[in-house]
Amino acid sequence: MSISDPTDKRPTSEAEDEPYRSDGVTADGSQASRDFAGSRLSPRPTGAGLALERALVACVMLFLGVTGLSTLLVTASLPNYDNAVVFSFSRAPLVVAGIAVILAFLLRVCGRGVLVRIDERKLAIGVVVYALIAGTIWVLSARVWPDWDSLDLINAALEMGQRGSIFYEHGGYLYRFPYQMGYVFLIRLVSLVAHGHTYLLLEALNIVFTAWILYLVIAITRELFASRRAVGICCVLCLLFLPLIFYVTFAYAIAIGLAFALLGLLLQIRAIARGSKRLGFESALAISASCILKSNMLVALAAMAVVWLCHLIGYRALSSACGLATLLAVYATASLSISLITLRICGMETSHGIPTSVPIAMGLSDTGGENYGWYNGYSWKYDAEHYSVERYDREARTIIRSQVDRFVADPGYAWTFFSKKYWSEWCMPTYESLLASNWRGSSRPEVPVMTKRPYTPLARIVYYGALHDAILGMLDVLQTLIIAGALIEVISDRIRCRRDQRRRDPGCASDAVHRGGLRVQHMGPLLFAAGSALFYLFWEAQSQYVMPAYVALLPFAAGGISVALDGIGCRHRTRAVEETSR
């Protein structure tokens, strides 16, 4: 049973049955932003559970602190529209000023009660409509074509089932990268109804899933925070997160995989809060679909597995054991099914792909310039005739051992390597989104170079000139604001926890985190982001890989910004506006 929302004008039964809802909203719309929905009704954790929660929160705080400081001091970019990373260390004052401007705007808007008066559903619908319109405008303005991976994937889908296709033969593209088969099957289905416009239809699909991503981010915010104001702030952040819009022109499974990952995280939060095995099963289906379509979403699956396991240990909840078993079983079944279907239709086994040691070797390699640990083409060193899993694995392990020895022998070099690799991933505010539609080179001679095409007026000013610089500056500010907001939320939660424990509030058990506190069942998105930082510290790097982590942090950033606005006096203004509106 949810705590009714005093600002919700719907009948109680409707509010409880609405699948997109929030629990425990208070009248002022601000204080409740500090409480996580449903936590007051949750059982208190055991001693082991409390220790696990504290350990996880400490890891998340470390990640947010390091990343926040990095994004403030460092800005990475690709000014020449190639893979050559350039660092800037002079933008911190502009970032701070930009954050101050955004906070001042939100303070004024929240002080007038605008975000509290507007129904969250209307805000969410408005954001969805914005994404659909903005994505469509960008597709029509960018006018790009498939190249690099997207070109190979589309060609592979069109040649599916053909004898002698180079994509499925020994050493071919999908023979090396069989984890792409899920998306290739989707492209094949799209091509059957596209009538020669496969790429355009894939762009349209990206637009729809981008809109769904923003809706899911808002839904997670509403599920976590009992505050209309936090939801409103999240909507503002979603409107500013332009890389999602820019990526709609890239025929890759980024948007689709992220959407299903966010759905899985949302359903897991609801499953634990309501003790629902059905929701747990649906969350397993969603995250499995995400991983089949985009393999790097395995980090999100691992985060969900950690949540199930820690909730099982911390709360002795057998339903969490069921959730964990279901998650692993569904993903294993989905992976096996894709392998069997691939063998049946394409005649290709999926067990001969590039070994995991290869992307790790690339992730630890110095390729020259500032692109430490980036993709360097090593996976294509040997042609199809000389391709061998054993040979690659043996050679990659030698590279890894050699680099580890070098790191140990020269700590200064190790610091330079990993710090610049981390900055190139986490401090690039565009996440390669503009590069994806404006490459300076092409994958093969017959493919036109994107930077040489005639630009539409909008595309030209987005790629170059004053508007481009303004977009880069705004996204640089937003990147730091997202991390800072999430860090504020987590830190303020810890402070409130200790304060409540000292006071021994009768409504708060002495061993509990605190009333309405951040608990392990809420931490899936946070662990996804922190896990991505750890994973890509060693894995082959690109900035586009970490964009989903920033998207997952948007709900917590909104909660932290709401806390910050409370600290500078917005709470009392909002309460006064609400009293007047009644």
Side-chain angles (χ1 to χ4, degrees), residues 122-191:
K122 294 181 180 179
L123 286 174
I125 292 173
V127 171
V128 168
V129 172
Y130 151 79
L132 294 174
I133 294 174
T136 302
I137 291 175
W138 181 240
V139 165
L140 297 177
S141 299
R143 297 180 181 176
V144 297
W145 50 85
D147 198 1
W148 304 100
D149 288 279
S150 60
L151 180 58
D152 287 328
L153 291 170
I154 291 174
N155 288 336
L158 296 178
E159 295 182 14
M160 184 178 293
Q162 295 182 12
R163 285 184 173 274
S165 172
I166 60 173
F167 297 101
Y168 304 93
E169 293 295 314
H170 178 87
Y173 182 89
L174 291 173
Y175 193 90
R176 297 176 190 241
F177 311 112
Y179 55 81
Q180 299 275 27
M181 283 305 304
Y183 188 53
V184 171
F185 282 126
L186 177 61
I187 296 175
R188 180 63 177 175
L189 292 175
V190 170
S191 69

Side-chain angles (χ1 to χ4, degrees), residues 41-65:
L41 304 178
S42 301
R44 63 182 183 183
T46 63
L50 188 60
L52 282 172
E53 287 176 349
R54 288 173 175 172
L56 292 176
V57 169
C59 292
V60 168
M61 289 174 62
L62 176 63
F63 154 68
L64 293 173

Side-chain angles (χ1 to χ4, degrees), residues 370 372 410-423:
E370 304 289 7
Y372 292 92
D410 190 351
Y413 169 73
W415 166 257
T416 299
F417 182 96
F418 286 108
S419 60
K420 289 194 172 182
K421 180 182 181 182
Y422 198 82
W423 295 341

Side-chain angles (χ1 to χ4, degrees), residues 29-37 39 57-58 60-61 64-65 220-221 224-227 229-231 233 237 480-499 513-519 522-523 525-526 552-567 571:
S30 59
Q31 180 64 35
S33 68
R34 302 185 174 194
D35 292 340
F36 287 82
S39 289
V57 169
V60 168
M61 289 174 62
L64 293 173
I220 291 174
T221 306
L224 290 176
F225 299 100
S227 168
R229 193 178 72 188
V231 173
I233 293 171
L237 297 179
T480 302
L481 182 61
I482 291 171
I483 298 293
L487 182 60
I488 289 172
E489 175 56 44
V490 176
I491 290 177
S492 63
D493 180 88
R494 293 296 90 191
I495 293 174
R496 291 192 301 272
C497 168
R498 293 179 181 178
R499 181 193 62 198
V513 177
H514 71 88
R515 291 182 303 168
L518 175 64
R519 292 183 175 172
H522 309 124
M523 294 179 65
L526 290 172
L553 289 174
L554 287 174
F556 295 90
I561 293 172
S562 184
V563 171
L565 294 179
D566 283 346
R571 182 195 310 172

Side-chain angles (χ1 to χ4, degrees), residues 183-490:
Y183 188 53
V184 171
F185 282 126
L186 177 61
I187 296 175
R188 180 63 177 175
L189 292 175
V190 170
S191 69
L192 295 177
V193 299
H195 302 294
H197 300 284
T198 300
Y199 193 76
L200 184 61
L201 196 56
L202 289 174
E203 289 179 313
L205 203 62
N206 282 342
I207 294 172
V208 172
F209 274 90
T210 295
W212 191 27
I213 285 171
L214 297 181
Y215 181 86
L216 289 169
V217 168
I218 297 169
I220 291 174
T221 306
R222 195 175 180 191
E223 191 72 24
L224 290 176
F225 299 100
S227 168
R228 283 189 172 181
R229 193 178 72 188
V231 173
I233 293 171
C234 183
C235 291
V236 174
L237 297 179
C238 288
L239 294 176
L240 296 177
F241 204 89
L242 295 180
L244 279 173
I245 301 298
F246 293 142
Y247 258 124
V248 298
T249 62
F250 187 35
Y252 215 48
I254 296 174
I256 301 175
L258 177 57
F260 280 109
L262 292 174
L263 178 62
L265 291 165
L266 172 63
L267 291 175
Q268 183 186 49
I269 294 170
R270 290 179 173 175
I272 295 177
R274 304 171 190 179
S276 171
K277 293 180 181 179
R278 177 181 61 82
L279 289 174
F281 177 70
E282 291 174 357
S283 72
L285 287 176
I287 193 61
S288 297
S290 173
C291 294
I292 293 300
L293 290 165
K294 194 74 177 76
S295 60
N296 62 358
M297 293 301 161
L298 281 168
V299 180
L301 185 146
M304 291 176 62
V306 170
V307 168
W308 283 122
L309 180 61
C310 291
H311 194 261
L312 168 63
I313 296 173
Y315 294 86
R316 298 173 182 172
L318 295 180
S319 60
S320 293
C322 180
L324 178 60
T326 301
L327 174 66
L328 300 178
V330 170
Y331 174 68
T333 302
S335 299
L336 180 60
S337 299
I338 288 292
S339 297
L340 294 176
I341 294 172
T342 300
L343 181 61
R344 172 76 174 179
I345 296 178
C346 307
M348 184 189 78
E349 294 187 6
T350 59
S351 58
H352 301 302
I354 289 288
T356 56
S357 56
V358 170
I360 296 175
M362 286 192 285
L364 297 178
S365 295
D366 185 348
T367 57
E370 304 289 7
N371 295 68
Y372 292 92
W374 275 51
Y375 174 80
N376 58 16
Y378 174 57
S379 53
W380 289 100
K381 177 181 178 179
Y382 299 108
D383 59 19
E385 182 181 354
H386 298 93
Y387 176 82
S388 168
V389 175
E390 294 76 16
R391 182 179 187 179
Y392 259 119
D393 187 52
R394 183 172 58 253
E395 190 174 284
R397 289 176 183 272
T398 301
I399 294 173
I400 294 170
R401 284 193 295 267
S402 175
Q403 280 296 95
V404 170
D405 291 341
R406 186 178 180 185
F407 294 147
V408 173
D410 190 351
Y413 169 73
W415 166 257
T416 299
F417 182 96
F418 286 108
S419 60
K420 289 194 172 182
K421 180 182 181 182
Y422 198 82
W423 295 341
S424 68
E425 294 172 305
W426 292 90
C427 301
M428 187 178 293
T430 61
Y431 315 102
E432 303 178 81
S433 58
L434 292 176
L435 173 68
S437 59
N438 201 42
W439 277 95
R440 194 175 68 173
S442 63
S443 60
R444 56 203 72 178
E446 65 271 18
V447 178
V449 176
M450 292 182 183
T451 53
K452 295 182 179 180
R453 73 188 188 273
Y455 295 107
T456 63
L458 177 59
R460 180 174 295 279
I461 60 177
V462 168
Y463 291 129
Y464 307 100
L467 181 60
H468 170 81
D469 294 337
I471 291 173
L472 181 62
M474 184 274 291
L475 294 179
D476 199 12
V477 170
L478 180 65
Q479 188 175 65
T480 302
L481 182 61
I482 291 171
I483 298 293
L487 182 60
I488 289 172
E489 175 56 44
V490 176

